[in-house]
Amino acid sequence: MPPIRLYELVIDNGLSMSPFVWRTRYALAHKGLPVECVPLGFTEIAPRFAGRHKTVPVIEDGGELVCDSWVIADHLDRAYPDRRPLFAAPGERAMVRFFDAWFSGEILRRCFGIYALDIHDAARPADRPYFRKSREARVGLTLEEFVAGREERVGAVREALGPLRRHLGDGPFIGGDAPNYADYIALGGLLWIAGVATVPLLAHDDALLAWWQRGLDLYDGLARDARLRPLAG
Amino acid sequence: MPPIRLYELVIDNGLSMSPFVWRTRYALAHKGLPVECVPLGFTEIAPRFAGRHKTVPVIEDGGELVCDSWVIADHLDRAYPDRRPLFAAPGERAMVRFFDAWFSGEILRRCFGIYALDIHDAARPADRPYFRKSREARVGLTLEEFVAGREERVGAVREALGPLRRHLGDGPFIGGDAPNYADYIALGGLLWIAGVATVPLLAHDDALLAWWQRGLDLYDGLARDARLRPLAG
């Protein structure tokens, strides 16, 4: 079959760095579907789709454009029912939705307050003014003010990760014996951070790191990259 | 088939009040299995099982005693494969385990610090000295010291419930269109509180209340009871 085209967001060093694109990359690998990545900077997304889509991931699958990581996940299970399902039962999908609500609200939101300026600094020079202007308007502060005192807020994220840490005492992956879409959500979030972080998120002995390494090993080391910065320190 | 015997924990007014027993009552109803409840006070549990089991739920199913709500849930799916499964896929079970880690660690743990003295006061008089002694030894404070200033901590629980509130914007139940074991975990926790609460946990306009009422309606109003105290106010 022809590869599915995946539009992704890249920073200046070429790394893919959207937590939502990473979910989709893992989802495509989970289903064993061939993929062709198209890197875009922040300011290239809207022009590329003539304003119809302003965020990635976007996939092009047989001429059809599909946008939004959850819409894409559902599309993939519907369009490729013969491949390994992302959601084996409606209840699994619902519980992964809960996981996403938890992870996005409790972890990613807090991380943005720690890494917003790092993202700016790692972005392609042409994208930085747009990133600064749009995000400063959203938070009502300069990026520098927004991340001030961030070292003291790292501890709150480590504590908020408690339920995930306790859960991974149960098995190798969030999804159990095998990874599921919840693993891809969490790995995507941490890859976003590891792409830009100038302060480590986790302590060097965090029990989550064993799972993180297993995640980087998935699908022939899909996400493993020497340009990733240390997630722990 | 003969009913499954369920040993439960009751307070002075006869209400069943263990969050873990409630999970099992809902799980038995989910699978459509007949049940016969045996009420026990805190101090009656260990003697009833000659010290072999110190906590409920315990079920007696065809002469076999099974203890611990998760062990019971797995037993029911294994022993009654022709009935509606509690976990339709391994990934669903794993994600409900995560939900339990989150709910127990972020919600129930905080609630104990608010309602510990209410539990004591609602327990059968014969159970109160045991409850006080065992719980005071565990927390290293008197129950009165432990719950002091609790009104100010109610807000933290309401905030911690954010991921659940956002998730229930998606569908009627935590498990999606139909309730699953995650619903029973959360309903069980709130039934525990509603059995004893002298201060309401939720604001009167909390979006969670619509789901709570749907939960009380499940299985012919299994848990609905005039003795329950207001969960919101």
Side-chain angles (χ1 to χ4, degrees):
Chain A
M1 62 178 289
I4 292 172
R5 189 169 290 166
L6 170 62
Y7 294 92
E8 59 178 353
L9 175 68
V10 295
I11 50 177
D12 199 34
N13 65 6
L15 270 179
S16 183
M17 67 74 73
S18 153
F20 304 101
V21 172
W22 274 116
R23 300 175 181 191
T24 299
R25 286 211 59 184
Y26 274 111
L28 289 160
H30 177 102
K31 294 192 79 80
L33 294 166
V35 60
E36 172 189 277
C37 291
V38 182
L40 298 171
F42 283 98
T43 54
E44 294 175 319
I45 298 171
R48 176 66 186 74
F49 301 108
R52 268 186 62 213
H53 301 299
K54 293 183 174 62
T55 59
V56 287
V58 172
I59 64 164
E60 200 174 323
D61 184 12
E64 184 187 0
L65 284 181
V66 187
C67 178
D68 179 281
S69 56
W70 272 98
V71 177
I72 292 170
D74 288 333
H75 165 85
L76 295 176
D77 266 359
R78 202 169 43 238
Y80 302 98
D82 52 325
R83 305 291 179 119
R84 184 155 71 111
L86 288 165
F87 309 111
E92 178 173 2
R93 183 183 183 281
M95 297 314 298
V96 176
R97 293 283 293 184
F98 171 79
F99 182 87
D100 192 15
W102 171 76
F103 191 76
S104 298
E106 304 299 306
I107 310 301
L108 291 187
R109 185 181 52 79
R110 285 189 170 94
C111 285
F112 187 65
I114 295 172
Y115 297 108
L117 186 59
D118 285 349
I119 297 170
H120 171 272
D121 294 346
R124 308 202 302 191
D127 291 329
R128 288 178 203 162
Y130 158 80
F131 182 86
R132 178 180 287 278
K133 192 174 168 200
S134 59
R135 271 51 173 186
E136 290 186 346
R138 188 188 299 170
V139 301
L141 296 167
T142 68
L143 292 178
E144 287 76 7
E145 289 165 345
F146 186 56
V147 302
R150 65 180 186 161
E151 287 80 3
E152 287 128 64
R153 296 198 300 273
V154 167
V157 181
R158 293 179 185 182
E159 197 182 316
L161 284 164
L164 184 56
R165 212 173 275 119
R166 287 192 296 280
H167 175 59
L168 284 166
D170 254 19
F173 291 103
I174 302 171
D177 290 334
N180 78 356
Y181 198 69
D183 289 274
Y184 310 147
I185 287 172
L187 288 166
L190 297 187
L191 281 161
W192 172 61
I193 293 161
V196 302
T198 58
V199 297
L201 182 66
L202 304 179
H204 73 279
D205 57 354
D206 193 312
L208 287 175
L209 292 168
W211 162 82
W212 165 245
Q213 292 299 330
R214 277 193 291 277
L216 292 178
D217 285 339
L218 286 172
Y219 311 119
D220 300 321
L222 173 69
R224 207 176 268 292
D225 195 298
R227 291 168 294 181
L228 290 174
R229 299 181 184 179
L231 193 63
Chain B
M1 63 179 288
I4 292 172
R5 191 169 289 167
L6 170 62
Y7 294 91
E8 60 178 351
L9 175 67
V10 294
I11 49 178
D12 198 34
N13 63 8
L15 270 179
S16 183
M17 66 76 72
S18 153
F20 304 102
V21 171
W22 274 116
R23 299 176 181 192
T24 298
R25 284 210 60 182
Y26 274 112
L28 289 160
H30 177 102
K31 294 192 78 78
L33 294 167
V35 60
E36 172 187 279
C37 291
V38 182
L40 297 172
F42 283 98
T43 53
E44 293 175 319
I45 299 171
R48 177 65 187 72
F49 302 109
R52 269 184 63 211
H53 301 298
K54 294 184 176 61
T55 59
V56 287
V58 172
I59 64 165
E60 200 175 324
D61 184 12
E64 183 187 1
L65 283 182
V66 187
C67 178
D68 179 279
S69 56
W70 272 98
V71 176
I72 292 170
D74 288 336
H75 164 86
L76 294 177
D77 266 358
R78 203 170 42 240
Y80 302 97
D82 53 325
R83 303 292 179 121
R84 186 155 70 111
L86 289 165
F87 308 112
E92 179 173 0
R93 183 184 183 281
M95 298 313 299
V96 176
R97 293 282 293 184
F98 170 79
F99 183 87
D100 192 16
W102 171 75
F103 191 76
S104 298
E106 304 298 307
I107 310 301
L108 290 188
R109 184 182 51 79
R110 285 189 170 94
C111 286
F112 187 65
I114 295 171
Y115 298 107
L117 185 60
D118 285 349
I119 298 169
H120 170 273
D121 295 346
R124 307 202 301 192
D127 291 330
R128 289 179 201 163
Y130 158 79
F131 182 85
R132 178 179 287 279
K133 193 174 168 198
S134 59
R135 270 51 172 187
E136 290 186 347
R138 188 189 297 168
V139 301
L141 296 168
T142 67
L143 292 179
E144 286 76 6
E145 289 165 345
F146 186 55
V147 302
R150 65 179 186 161
E151 286 80 4
E152 286 127 65
R153 297 199 300 275
V154 167
V157 181
R158 293 180 184 182
E159 196 182 316
L161 284 164
L164 184 56
R165 214 173 274 120
R166 286 192 296 281
H167 175 59
L168 285 166
D170 256 18
F173 291 105
I174 302 171
D177 290 332
N180 77 356
Y181 199 70
D183 289 274
Y184 310 147
I185 287 172
L187 288 167
L190 297 188
L191 281 162
W192 171 61
I193 292 161
V196 302
T198 58
V199 297
L201 182 66
L202 305 178
H204 73 278
D205 58 352
D206 194 311
L208 287 175
L209 292 169
W211 161 83
W212 165 247
Q213 292 299 330
R214 276 192 292 276
L216 292 180
D217 285 339
L218 286 173
Y219 310 119
D220 299 320
L222 173 68
R224 207 176 269 291
D225 196 299
R227 291 167 293 181
L228 290 174
R229 297 181 185 179
L231 193 63

